[in-house]
């Protein structure tokens, strides 16, 4: 799951999402919410 958020307008956030490049890896990554949440949630404001 990828969550995109921020203080910009919805049109700008939508353009960011449309331009993301997501790759599927051949390896499993263990999910640790204490480590993973907030790393990708970059926001302005």
């Amino acid at each position: 799951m990828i969550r995109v958020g921020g203080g910009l307008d919805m049109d700008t956030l939508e353009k960011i999402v449309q331009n993301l490049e997501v790759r599927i890896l051949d390896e499993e990554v263990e999910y640790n919410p204490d480590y993973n949440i907030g790393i990708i949630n970059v926001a302005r404001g």
Side-chain angles (χ1 to χ4, degrees), residues 8-22:
L8 300 174
D9 60 277
M10 205 52 136
D11 288 334
T12 302
L13 292 175
E14 187 176 339
K15 287 179 184 177
I16 291 170
V17 170
Q18 290 174 348
N19 289 304
L20 284 177
E21 180 180 335
V22 178

Side-chain angles (χ1 to χ4, degrees), residues 2-45:
I2 298 174
R3 179 179 172 190
V4 176
L8 300 174
D9 60 277
M10 205 52 136
D11 288 334
T12 302
L13 292 175
E14 187 176 339
K15 287 179 184 177
I16 291 170
V17 170
Q18 290 174 348
N19 289 304
L20 284 177
E21 180 180 335
V22 178
R23 299 180 192 172
I24 298 173
L25 304 175
D26 291 335
E27 62 186 77
E28 280 192 35
V29 178
E30 183 178 327
Y31 176 71
N32 179 349
D34 294 333
Y35 177 76
N36 293 328
I37 293 179
I39 293 176
I40 301 178
N41 190 14
V42 178
R44 178 181 174 201

